[in-house]
Structure formats: structure tokens, C-alpha cells
């Protein structure tokens, strides 16, 4: 079956997409996929468009990839939509990025509800404009009883801050006696992170040819498989997600064992 998938990868076209999905589902798919969606600005620059045009195109890809991940039976899709460092961008770009969740959910929330998708968010809510937060909180509320794919937006998220806050929380709980020092295991520490309700990602995808983590899920990605592509996020297609999942299916995960 894997040979068949490799042949498909060479001659991928839309006519065999359905077959590839069916074949991919026959082997276990990653339970949690995390994606660093990179390359929107370069996509726009190549077309002499403003950077925000790349973000808008990238938003449409989010819809396509969410649909496919749900169809494949992936449990969690975490998307790095805005980092704690992204506030350094020009105000006009930040303003635009902050409007995207509202536009995305304004357009697609009925479909997500229909498809049993559950929306979640990791990141700090405090700095987000109220229209961004309202759109996300409404989506979280309206999809809270769904039990299909968890679409987890990392928004105003930074992993180092997340870890430092978890450490402070642990110290407080030790001081007040809720937690004893010798009870602090990896699992217990994980429960102090923003991802406490989620499993760690099995597969990390980063687009656009950059090979770095950019402060994304540093603790959670300790044993994840990484898959990088030169493809810019707005050009990322269903076939690319299948390539990543098929590559994952060909990996041997040893978690430090033999
Ligand atoms: C990085 O590309 C991308 C971002 C900082 C934003 C990602 C956001 C989206 C894809 C849309 C999100 C959609 C929703 C629904 C929230 P870049 O701008 O750094 O690209 P560059 O490296 O080519 O400049």
C-alpha cells in the first residue's frame, strides 16, 4: 500500500485525490497534527500583492486543510495563526491578521458546526481585540458539544511564556501544598500547559522552507515527527497534507527506545 502511495506522490493530480484519501485512511493517521503556516508574505510578494493578500489566501487554505484533516480522522489540528512575536509587525498587518478569525468564522462556522468540528484556542486572550476574541469565543461555545476534529488555533501564543507561566503555577501549587515536589512528573507538568486537554502533536508541518520552531509548542513537540516543505502556505494543497501524513506513516517512531 505504501508503494502505491509513493507512486501517487510522483504523479499527484486532483483525479486521484479521493483514492489517496481512501488509501491514507487505511493506515493509522497522526492523532494530532500541528502546522506552522508560513510563507504568506512571500506568496503575496511573488505576485506583487500586499502581504495581507497572502494572509487572506492562507485563510482559505485553513478551511481546505481542516476539512481534509477531519475527513482523515485526525483528532486535533493545531494551527499557529499568530505568535507573541507577531505583534512586532506593522500595525496595518497586525490589524488585518486580527480580523481574519472573525472573517473565517463568520463565513465557515456553520460548516464547522455541521461537520462536527470543535473549535479551541491556545494563547493569551488578554491582548486580543474584542472582535477577535468574541468571534473565537462564540465558535468555541457553539462547537463545544461537537466531538469530531478539534481545530485548535494558536493565537497570541508563545511557548516560552507558556512554560514560564506553568513553572510559576507549579511553584505556587507547591508553596500552598496542592502539589508535592516529588509528584511533579512530565505528565503533571503537561497538565499546567495551555494544551493540558490535548495530546502532544504526532506530526509537525512547517511550510515555506524555513526549518525552525519559532517558539511553537517547544515542550509538546519533544517526540513529534517533523515534516518541512518549500511550498508556501497559500499554495499548500490537500495533496501536500497527504504527502506529510504518508511520510509520517512511513516513519518509525521509537520515542528514545530501539
Ligand atoms: C506567517 O507567514 C503567517 C502568519 C504570521 C499568519 C498565518 C495566518 C494565516 C495563514 C491565516 C489564519 C487564518 C485564521 C482563520 C486565523 P509570513 O507572513 O511570516 O510569511 P513570510 O515569511 O513569507 O513573510
Amino acid at each position: 500500500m505504501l508503494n502505491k502511495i509513493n507512486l501517487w506522490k510522483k504523479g499527484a493530480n486532483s483525479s486521484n485525490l479521493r483514492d489517496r484519501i481512501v488509501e491514507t485512511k487505511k493506515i493509522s493517521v497522526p492523532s494530532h497534527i500541528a502546522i506552522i503556516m508560513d510563507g504568506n508574505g512571500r506568496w503575496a510578494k511573488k505576485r506583487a500583492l500586499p502581504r495581507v493578500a497572502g494572509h487572506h489566501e492562507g485563510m482559505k487554505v485553513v478551511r481546505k486543510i481542516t476539512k481534509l484533516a477531519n475527513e482523515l480522522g485526525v483528532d486535533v489540528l493545531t494551527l499557529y495563526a499568530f505568535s507573541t512575536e507577531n505583534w512586532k509587525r506593522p500595525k496595518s498587518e497586525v490589524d488585518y491578521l486580527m480580523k481574519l478569525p472573525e472573517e473565517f468564522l463568520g463565513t465557515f462556522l456553520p460548516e464547522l458546526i455541521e461537520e462536527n468540528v470543535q473549535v479551541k484556542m491556545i494563547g493569551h486572550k488578554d491582548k486580543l481585540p474584542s472582535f477577535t476574541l468574541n468571534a473565537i469565543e462564540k465558535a468555541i461555545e457553539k462547537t463545544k458539544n461537537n466531538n469530531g476534529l478539534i481545530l485548535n488555533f494558536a493565537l497570541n501564543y508563545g511557548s516560552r511564556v507558556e512554560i514560564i507561566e506553568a513553572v510559576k503555577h507549579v511553584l505556587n501549587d507547591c508553596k500552598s501544598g496542592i502539589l508535592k515536589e516529588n509528584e511533579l512528573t512530565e505528565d503533571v507538568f503537561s497538565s499546567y500547559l495551555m494544551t493540558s486537554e490535548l495530546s502532544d502533536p504526532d506530526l509537525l508541518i512547517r511550510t515555506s522552507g524555513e526549518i525552525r520552531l519559532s517558539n511553537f509548542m517547544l515542550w509538546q513537540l519533544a517526540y513529534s515527527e517533523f515534516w518541512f516543505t518549500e511550498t508556501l502556505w497559500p499554495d499548500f494543497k490537500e495533496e501536500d497534507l497527504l504527502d506529510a501524513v504518508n511520510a509520517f506513516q512511513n516513519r518509525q517512531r521509537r520515542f528514545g527506545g530501539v
Side-chain angles (χ1 to χ4, degrees), residues 37-42 51 55 81 86 89 97 100 104 233:
M37 308 178 289
D38 198 8
N40 296 349
R42 276 163 282 168
R51 288 178 56 79
H55 296 315
N86 287 154
R89 295 185 175 211
L97 283 167
L100 283 183
F104 176 81
W233 178 250

Side-chain angles (χ1 to χ4, degrees), residues 198-227:
L198 307 172
S199 59
D200 289 340
D202 301 287
L203 173 64
L204 170 81
I205 297 171
R206 182 168 190 152
T207 59
S208 91
E210 307 295 352
I211 313 223
R212 54 175 174 261
L213 286 180
S214 303
N215 201 16
F216 186 51
M217 302 184 97
L218 303 177
W219 171 275
Q220 297 88 338
L221 291 169
Y223 282 104
S224 311
E225 296 295 324
F226 289 7
W227 190 85

Side-chain angles (χ1 to χ4, degrees), residues 243-257:
D243 284 352
V245 170
N246 294 156
F248 172 87
Q249 289 170 327
N250 276 313
R251 303 254 179 108
Q252 285 196 345
R253 300 181 82 191
R254 290 189 290 276
F255 299 95

Side-chain angles (χ1 to χ4, degrees), residues 149-203:
L149 175 81
I150 292 175
L151 173 58
N152 182 35
F153 287 108
L155 209 55
N156 192 20
Y157 172 84
S159 187
R160 287 187 168 187
V161 170
E162 177 191 33
I163 291 170
I164 286 178
E165 284 181 354
V167 169
K168 286 182 182 166
H169 197 166
V170 165
L171 289 174
N172 268 333
D173 282 355
C174 283
K175 230 186 274 170
S176 61
I178 295 173
L179 183 72
K180 294 193 178 58
E181 193 184 321
N182 62 5
E183 288 169 351
L184 183 62
T185 60
E186 291 182 16
D187 282 346
V188 169
F189 188 72
S190 294
S191 74
Y192 282 83
L193 297 171
M194 289 171 175
T195 46
S196 58
E197 293 166 17
L198 307 172
S199 59
D200 289 340
D202 301 287
L203 173 64

Side-chain angles (χ1 to χ4, degrees), residues 4-200:
K4 204 169 167 190
I5 286 167
N6 286 333
L7 277 177
W8 274 327
K9 277 165 67 178
K10 282 190 187 132
N13 62 48
S14 56
S15 66
N16 61 34
L17 180 64
R18 298 304 328 156
D19 291 344
R20 278 195 71 184
I21 294 172
V22 169
E23 289 303 316
T24 299
K25 284 171 75 170
K26 289 183 182 165
I27 312 170
S28 73
V29 297
S31 167
H32 184 168
I33 300 179
I35 308 184
I36 303 177
M37 308 178 289
D38 198 8
N40 296 349
R42 276 163 282 168
W43 182 92
K45 194 172 175 201
K46 269 170 58 179
R47 288 160 181 78
L49 294 168
R51 288 178 56 79
V52 294
H55 296 315
H56 197 263
E57 202 59 28
M59 181 192 72
K60 295 188 209 157
V61 178
V62 168
R63 177 65 199 111
K64 258 192 326 202
I65 295 309
T66 301
K67 218 176 166 75
L68 177 56
N70 197 21
E71 185 176 354
L72 288 174
V74 171
D75 298 310
V76 186
L77 178 66
T78 296
L79 301 177
Y80 205 8
F82 194 90
S83 75
T84 45
E85 288 71 36
N86 287 154
W87 296 105
K88 293 180 205 153
R89 295 185 175 211
K91 184 176 179 312
S92 56
E93 186 173 341
V94 169
D95 288 350
Y96 192 88
L97 283 167
M98 286 298 137
K99 285 188 191 128
L100 283 183
E102 196 184 22
E103 181 178 346
F104 176 81
L105 293 164
T107 312
F108 297 118
L109 184 57
E111 264 179 62
L112 297 174
I113 294 170
E114 173 80 21
E115 288 164 14
N116 200 22
V117 171
Q118 201 185 337
V119 176
K120 283 187 188 275
M121 178 199 146
I122 52 171
H124 275 288
K125 292 181 174 173
D126 49 7
K127 224 175 152 187
L128 297 176
S130 55
F131 56 85
T132 312
L133 190 56
N134 289 345
I136 295 271
E137 287 192 327
K138 179 179 158 199
I140 292 172
E141 175 59 28
K142 291 220 175 228
T143 60
K144 69 176 184 207
N145 295 322
N146 287 352
N147 58 10
L149 175 81
I150 292 175
L151 173 58
N152 182 35
F153 287 108
L155 209 55
N156 192 20
Y157 172 84
S159 187
R160 287 187 168 187
V161 170
E162 177 191 33
I163 291 170
I164 286 178
E165 284 181 354
V167 169
K168 286 182 182 166
H169 197 166
V170 165
L171 289 174
N172 268 333
D173 282 355
C174 283
K175 230 186 274 170
S176 61
I178 295 173
L179 183 72
K180 294 193 178 58
E181 193 184 321
N182 62 5
E183 288 169 351
L184 183 62
T185 60
E186 291 182 16
D187 282 346
V188 169
F189 188 72
S190 294
S191 74
Y192 282 83
L193 297 171
M194 289 171 175
T195 46
S196 58
E197 293 166 17
L198 307 172
S199 59
D200 289 340

